[in-house]
Amino acid sequence: MSDTSTAAYTAEAARLDAADELAKHREKFALDDTVYLDGNSLGALPAHVPARMADVITRQWGELRIRSWDESGWWTAPERIGDRIAPLVGAADGQIVVGDSTSVNVFKAVVAATRLAGGDRDEILVDATTFPTDGYIAASAARMTGHRIVPLDPAEMPGAVTGRTALALVNHVDYRTGRLQDLPGVTAALHAAGALAVWDLCHSAGALPVGLDAHGVDLAVGCTYKYLNGGPGAPAYLYVAERHQARFDSPLPGWNSHADPFGMTPDYRAAEGAPRGRVGTPDILSMLSLEAALDVWDGVRIEDVRAKSLALTDFFLECVRAYAPEGRVTSVTPEAHAERGSQVALRCAEAPAVMAELIRRGVVGDLRRPDVLRFGFTPLYVGFADAERAARVLGEVLRDIPAG
Ligand SMILES: *Cc1c(COP(=O)(O)O)cnc(C)c1O
């Protein structure tokens, strides 16, 4: 904008909010007047969830008790909810099972991928910028299966895949910088060399189109308490492409993944399809709060969410450039839309003190030590006025907290 006054930006924010087709979804959430830019860490509570959970607890558990496994659909919840998540990540039905944490699903996916790759492929490429848990789990899986970990920047993976590569484990969006990796390109390069692609969608599912089926992804995992608003510790999910399901050999073959779980036989026989990714008894309370939370996506197109997310992060970056004192913050989030997820990460030498003060003044982002201020944009409940206010308060805080 040519006029860079506060009045010009607040007017622009009001104009953008008025034209925003997704703005109406905000009222579905329990929010106050803080600017909540941490929905990429813990999504906000959809307002109807408490009443649904009261029914789950008092009636389904309290009154129906054991009958609810059948009569309230508890037993089939992992696949039913998987099919609710499927359209958000571009998957046809029957390929996603919900349960366990992302960390546990990373373990299942990595070990199962080494078994699918077979032969003498002894290398696992791991995103060198990964969220730590994926790296720790992959390293342990590699020790168990006799593989070697090769840490690489995802951009370098296409040039590094060889006939020894079993799989690559990659974060679709970098949790620290917000960089969106090239899922189609990396997946195609892996396949060209006969290797498998395992994607972690924690920071992309619910924020942008993923296209799991369209791009031929082999296995994927993701969490549901970030952009999917499932609630603290809500269960994660595992995607196994249909073509791999018959050969998917879980390293955690619990009784819930047995073809006949109530046969209670000593020998293991894997279930067909998505249930093969189960382990033990599902955490029904968390799972059903996730199921209720997914109602907010009814009638929402993920392409529209993506368009708004990019407009929000563009506008926030523009406001930060206008409001922040020269040289105090530097964006580490890519400018190019094709390389940007749904967050803005700003490097700032005084980041710990600045984030604490931002939160005190009603702008909630988070800190990634030592020096990154992270702001997540969840288009269903964050608007352009929020982006403007966050940048304006950031400018004020930076003036009040001197450099150095
Ligand atoms: C948030 C996140 C996780 C979290 O794993 P949990 O097992 O739920 O604690 C894992 N991987 C990535 C990339 C994440 O962003």
Side-chain angles (χ1 to χ4, degrees):
M1 284 183 356
S2 52
D3 179 355
T4 59
S5 67
T6 302
Y9 283 108
T10 53
E12 177 68 357
R15 194 188 64 73
L16 291 166
D17 278 329
D20 172 18
E21 293 282 341
L22 294 180
K24 60 176 183 280
H25 296 288
R26 183 186 177 104
E27 65 183 28
K28 296 178 179 172
F29 291 86
L31 293 166
D32 51 24
D33 67 352
T34 55
V35 178
Y36 190 62
L37 301 181
D38 217 358
N40 56 340
S41 214
L42 178 64
L45 170 69
H48 67 285
V49 169
R52 285 273 285 279
M53 290 313 290
D55 178 67
V56 168
I57 292 170
T58 37
R59 188 182 57 84
Q60 296 185 10
W61 178 14
E63 295 168 20
L64 295 177
R65 292 180 287 270
I66 196 90
R67 292 167 55 189
S68 272
W69 283 105
D70 286 326
E71 293 175 29
S72 303
W74 290 358
W75 186 260
T76 48
E79 293 78 31
R80 180 175 74 243
I81 303 170
D83 287 344
R84 292 282 304 275
I85 294 171
L88 294 170
V89 292
D93 282 358
Q95 301 174 100
I96 296 181
V97 66
V98 174
D100 310 311
S101 63
T102 300
S103 301
V104 170
N105 283 300
V106 166
F107 178 76
K108 294 180 212 169
V110 169
V111 175
T114 63
R115 292 173 178 177
L116 285 166
D120 45 9
R121 294 175 179 269
D122 61 353
E123 285 178 1
I124 299 175
L125 312 186
V126 175
D127 183 342
T129 55
T130 185
F131 185 92
T133 204
D134 303 48
Y136 305 156
I137 300 256
S140 174
R143 272 191 287 137
M144 291 171 54
T145 57
H147 287 68
R148 196 168 69 84
I149 295 286
V150 182
L152 278 175
D153 189 290
E156 292 168 1
M157 286 182 179
V161 194
T162 69
R164 298 183 60 172
T165 310
L167 69 129
L169 172 66
V170 198
N171 292 182
H172 194 196
V173 172
D174 184 311
Y175 76 101
R176 191 185 280 109
T177 63
R179 174 178 292 276
L180 171 63
Q181 306 295 355
D182 176 12
L183 181 146
V186 173
T187 301
L190 288 160
H191 287 173
L196 282 86
V198 182
W199 287 90
D200 182 326
L201 311 178
C202 282
H203 281 271
S204 57
L208 49 96
V210 177
L212 288 178
D213 289 350
H215 302 304
V217 167
D218 299 287
L219 301 166
V221 301
C223 69
T224 63
Y225 51 78
K226 294 172 182 169
Y227 291 92
L228 297 178
N229 314 305
Y237 56 90
L238 171 69
Y239 162 91
V240 179
E242 209 224 308
R243 66 184 180 283
H244 291 312
Q245 285 178 343
R247 288 181 57 229
F248 178 84
D249 181 7
S250 173
L252 295 172
W255 75 288
N256 261 239
S257 67
H258 196 284
D260 180 16
F262 292 97
M264 306 277 173
T265 53
D267 59 310
Y268 181 77
R269 195 159 45 83
E272 299 295 318
R276 194 174 282 206
R278 289 189 181 204
V279 183
T281 305
D283 37 7
I284 289 298
L285 297 184
S286 277
M287 195 160 298
L288 298 189
S289 96
L290 165 64
E291 181 172 40
L294 289 169
D295 285 357
V296 301
W297 298 94
D298 289 349
V300 174
R301 281 168 19 104
I302 196 71
E303 291 76 14
D304 296 337
V305 171
R306 173 61 168 164
K308 180 175 172 186
S309 156
L310 289 170
L312 277 170
T313 49
D314 276 344
F315 185 62
F316 178 69
L317 282 166
E318 190 182 343
C319 292
V320 168
R321 277 190 289 268
Y323 292 150
E326 192 65 33
R328 295 289 303 281
V329 293
T330 321
S331 173
V332 294
T333 299
E335 282 294 321
H337 285 177
E339 297 171 9
R340 190 194 303 164
S342 197
Q343 71 177 50
V344 171
L346 303 175
R347 190 151 271 148
C348 172
E350 297 75 33
V354 168
M355 185 51 73
E357 188 56 23
L358 276 171
I359 293 169
R360 220 181 53 76
R361 297 188 194 184
V363 174
V364 179
D366 65 21
L367 171 72
R368 283 294 170 261
R369 286 185 295 171
D371 62 353
V372 172
L373 302 168
R374 207 175 66 144
F375 303 94
F377 289 84
T378 46
L380 290 189
Y381 57 86
V382 168
F384 293 90
D386 296 317
E388 189 276 338
R389 185 173 139 208
R392 179 157 36 87
V393 175
L394 173 63
E396 292 162 6
V397 168
L398 290 169
R399 277 182 195 84
D400 293 345
I401 295 178

